[in-house]
Amino acid sequence: RIFGIDDHTLILYGLKVTFEHIKPELELIGYARSMKQAIPDILRLQPRLILLDLFLEQGDPVDNFKRLQVTFPEIPVVIFTYEDSIFWMRRMYQEGARGYITKTYDDDVIGNILVSVGNGGTVFPEELTKWNQYHSKYADSKIFNQLELDVALT
């Protein structure tokens, strides 16, 4: 039971049809084009997972995510976006997102990630894992300061 928030409803409609054919255990029970529309619909439908487009037409990405977290702390939120920068992956991981999916992923990969998060997992792209490994390797180093590390790794 998934609720999607994306200002391009064609994307979510495509997911709904895809799920029906390749991952019937995933059900898109509703979607909204804005946070204003999403909140009452999520309250009414009680999904098990929320898919959130990172860049909606209105609102800041972090503010939108935090609003969902505060209002629905028990529902995992997965970011669903075209944005594939390490900056946003890292930022949303730090904020508490349970997954990060780029819209360029294959249907079966998207489905597998959603199933994993729905079962309690956290799934982020491999690039973030590599960044975290690199960062932890040099985190105590006197060679780089934090700003240099952040710039070098984005």
Side-chain angles (χ1 to χ4, degrees):
R1 295 180 47 86
I2 300 168
F3 189 90
I5 307 168
D6 196 312
D7 47 0
H8 299 97
T9 52
L10 184 59
I11 298 286
L12 294 170
Y13 180 75
L15 271 184
K16 181 178 178 64
V17 171
T18 299
F19 293 162
E20 290 170 0
H21 294 285
I22 66 163
K23 288 277 187 206
E25 68 271 28
L26 297 175
E27 179 187 7
L28 189 66
I29 60 168
Y31 54 85
R33 296 186 64 171
S34 69
M35 292 297 292
K36 182 179 180 179
Q37 180 188 4
I39 301 297
D41 288 351
I42 294 169
L43 281 168
R44 180 174 50 82
L45 296 171
Q46 296 294 304
R48 292 191 57 225
L49 191 143
I50 298 170
L51 267 181
L52 173 64
D53 184 14
L54 190 61
F55 297 110
L56 297 172
E57 287 182 10
Q58 296 180 357
D60 172 77
V62 175
D63 291 344
N64 288 339
F65 175 79
K66 286 182 177 180
R67 184 170 176 199
L68 289 173
Q69 259 197 329
V70 167
T71 310
F72 308 104
E74 72 287 353
I75 304 175
V77 178
V78 174
I79 303 303
F80 187 56
T81 182
Y82 282 112
E83 181 60 52
D84 65 354
S85 75
I86 195 73
F87 172 83
W88 282 108
M89 290 176 202
R90 219 174 88 216
R91 181 66 190 268
M92 299 317 295
Y93 176 80
Q94 291 167 339
E95 293 296 335
R98 295 282 298 282
Y100 193 102
I101 299 172
T102 64
K103 294 176 182 176
T104 59
Y105 286 2
D106 290 336
D107 298 341
D108 59 331
V109 173
I110 292 171
N112 290 338
I113 290 170
L114 294 175
V115 167
S116 179
V117 172
N119 289 329
T122 299
V123 182
F124 277 76
E126 183 181 6
E127 294 87 352
L128 183 62
T129 303
K130 289 178 183 176
W131 184 92
N132 286 337
Q133 290 170 345
Y134 185 85
H135 185 267
S136 66
K137 180 178 177 181
Y138 294 104
D140 296 325
S141 173
K142 302 294 182 212
I143 299 171
F144 300 107
N145 66 33
Q146 185 61 48
L147 178 60
E148 291 168 330
L149 274 174
D150 288 344
V151 170
L153 298 171
T154 57

